[in-house]
Amino acid sequence: MIFVTVGSQKFPFNRLLKKVDRMVRDHTITEEVCIQTGSSDYLPSHCRYQAFYDRTQFSEMLQACTVLITHGGTGTIIDAVKRGKKTIVVPRLSRYGEHVDDHQLELPARFHEMNLVYTCPDENTLPDILPVVRNHQFDTYQSNTETFLASVDDFLRSYLLDAVTDTAAVP
C-alpha cells in the first residue's frame, strides 16, 4: 500500500493529489493507495481517502505502507525515516498557493543528500521516481539525540560545579 499524506496545513495540496489519482487511473500505480487529503478540495476518484486520520490511524497507515509520498513537513519525514520507510517528498510550493513560502524545499533536500528520502519538487516526475524509490537502498536514520542530551548534561554539570566552586570561594 502507498500512503499519501499532505499534512494539516490550511492550504490545499491538489497538485499532488491529482497526480497520484491520475497515476492510479492510468495504472502507473497498481497497488492500493490511501490518501490523507487534509484541506485540499480535490477528492480522488481512484484512491481510498480521508481528510484526516487520527494519530493511531495515521501511525497504522504509516507502518503498513511500502512507500510514503508526503509533503515536506518535518514531523512526517522524521517519523517515516525513523521507521525506515521508503519516502518520496513532494514539497508544497508557494507559487501554487500551497504554502506561504518555499521552506519545504530545504529540509527534504538535506534528507535527500543524507540518502534518507527521495525528493520530487516536480510532481510530473513522480511516475519516473516511484520505481527508482521502490528499488533504492536508503541509509538508516541515526538519531543524535543521545549525544546532544549528553552534551547538555555535561554543560549543565560543569556550569553547576563552577557555580558551587565560585560560591564556596567567596570569603
Side-chain angles (χ1 to χ4, degrees):
M1 182 261 295
I2 294 175
F3 182 38
V4 180
T5 178
V6 300
S8 58
Q9 287 293 321
K10 63 181 179 179
F11 305 103
F13 199 7
N14 294 329
R15 175 173 61 100
L16 175 59
L17 301 183
K18 288 177 183 177
K19 186 61 181 181
V20 171
D21 201 32
R22 277 189 234 115
M23 289 172 67
V24 173
R25 180 197 68 201
D26 297 343
H27 305 288
T28 305
I29 296 175
T30 56
E31 68 187 281
E32 180 184 16
V33 175
C34 297
I35 301 176
Q36 178 251 315
T37 59
S39 298
S40 302
D41 51 17
Y42 178 80
L43 301 179
S45 300
H46 307 283
C47 308
R48 186 166 55 124
Y49 68 89
Q50 189 169 313
F52 294 99
Y53 293 97
D54 66 33
R55 285 182 197 259
T56 301
Q57 292 171 315
F58 188 92
S59 181
E60 290 169 355
M61 299 293 278
L62 185 55
Q63 190 59 40
C65 74
T66 55
V67 174
L68 172 70
I69 301 173
T70 184
H71 66 117
T74 307
T76 303
I77 293 171
I78 290 175
D79 194 6
V81 298
K82 281 182 176 179
R83 294 175 191 234
K85 293 298 174 179
K86 293 182 179 267
T87 303
I88 300 171
V89 180
V90 182
R92 291 172 170 271
L93 300 174
S94 62
R95 71 176 169 258
Y96 299 119
E98 299 163 347
H99 218 303
V100 296
D101 59 29
D102 288 336
H103 75 277
Q104 287 197 355
L105 289 168
E106 298 164 17
L107 180 71
R110 180 67 183 117
F111 275 90
H112 184 96
E113 290 168 8
M114 295 168 63
N115 194 37
L116 296 172
V117 304
Y118 211 95
T119 58
C120 178
D122 179 358
E123 79 284 357
N124 291 314
T125 62
L126 195 54
D128 298 322
I129 289 173
L130 184 57
V132 170
V133 167
R134 288 184 192 281
N135 297 309
H136 186 77
Q137 184 63 44
F138 289 98
D139 290 339
T140 303
Y141 175 75
Q142 298 293 322
S143 173
N144 69 351
T145 302
E146 292 301 320
T147 304
F148 174 75
L149 291 175
S151 174
V152 170
D153 185 59
D154 288 346
F155 171 78
L156 291 174
R157 288 179 190 277
S158 173
Y159 178 78
L160 291 173
L161 183 61
D162 287 348
V164 169
T165 304
D166 289 345
T167 304
V170 175

